[in-house]
Amino acid sequence: MSRIVTPQSAFPTPADDRPGEHRLGLTIAVAAAAVAVVAVLAFAGPALDELIGTLPAVHGPTAAGIFLAVVGVLALATIGVRFALLTRNRVRRRALEARFDGGISCGLRHRELEDALAELPGCEVPLATRYSIVAGPDGLSFWNGGARPRRAAHVAWREVRSIRPDELIAGSRPAPVVLVRVRRQGASIALPLLLAGEQPGVFAVTDAPFYAVVRSWKALHRTALEHEGLEPPTSTRPIPVITASTAALAASTSPRRDARRGARH
């Protein structure tokens, strides 16, 4: 089965990425709308008071029905926005899969990550609420957008000093994060990457899928450093897995080792 590969020219280059312009335009539009609402309330205040006074009285059951209808509309609107964001994430993921061969994960923006990226030299493009992380042979890259993804940041493997699982308190519950320590231009920054679920109702990736991503990133990091002739840091080397057979073997050999030590003494 053949796969349609989107040419690289179909995506904007990092130099052409200007999501800040979109955010600036949105901020100006919201500010203008707020000013307009305040102006209308200021000039039409007396007329609104008279209009409210002429409205008929609303009884208890009717008020409760109106309240429930408003709550229902707001709930439907929230669900619609949620599904629109998930659809946008899936579209961006498919576009990135057509362009890259590396693993693609969904990241969730949070305050600690924003603060860390603000201190990282050369990283000026803000991340979207949900963004994509591409782990490829050249490093980790972070992408915004939908069908035409825009790269927000990139970290080369040679800049990564360590990759390890950690924990972040999100609200009132802990969530696992991948703590990637980056050294760039003399600055050492720890990026706490919270991997988000891409299905409705899933907040964060946990357990086996989370650790599978951590292991794959560590393997890519080791391979890239070895290809460049660099020594991988200790924290990114393979961790030995203790199985039941190796544990039993170690338990059986420890009494013999203790006996030999006693005989020598």
Side-chain angles (χ1 to χ4, degrees), residues 43-198:
F43 287 102
L48 289 176
D49 291 338
E50 295 179 1
L51 178 62
I52 294 175
T54 59
L55 294 176
V58 179
H59 301 287
T62 305
I66 295 175
F67 174 76
L68 292 177
V70 171
V71 171
V73 170
L74 292 177
L76 290 176
T78 302
I79 294 174
V81 171
R82 169 69 175 173
F83 275 94
L85 290 175
L86 291 176
T87 302
R88 181 179 177 85
N89 295 335
R90 286 194 293 267
V91 171
R92 180 177 62 245
R93 182 185 181 93
R94 286 196 295 266
L96 292 173
E97 287 175 343
R99 181 176 179 183
F100 298 102
D101 293 330
I104 300 175
S105 305
C106 182
L108 187 64
R109 187 190 65 197
H110 54 90
R111 177 59 58 85
E112 287 77 6
L113 178 59
E114 287 180 324
D115 295 341
L117 288 174
E119 298 178 8
L120 188 65
C123 184
E124 300 178 354
V125 179
L127 290 175
T129 302
R130 284 178 178 265
Y131 59 96
S132 294
I133 308 173
V134 177
D138 58 342
L140 295 173
S141 56
F142 308 91
W143 297 80
N144 296 329
R148 294 175 60 84
R150 301 181 302 272
R151 197 176 77 176
H154 178 262
V155 176
W157 288 126
R158 70 174 69 90
E159 298 177 316
V160 176
R161 303 307 302 159
S162 64
I163 302 173
R164 64 180 179 87
D166 208 320
E167 204 170 65
L168 174 74
I169 302 300
S172 59
R173 56 179 179 174
V177 295
V178 186
L179 196 64
V180 180
R181 181 164 291 279
V182 179
R183 185 168 183 82
R184 177 183 293 177
Q185 300 180 11
S188 181
I189 308 296
L191 304 179
L193 303 178
L194 178 59
L195 304 181
E198 299 189 55

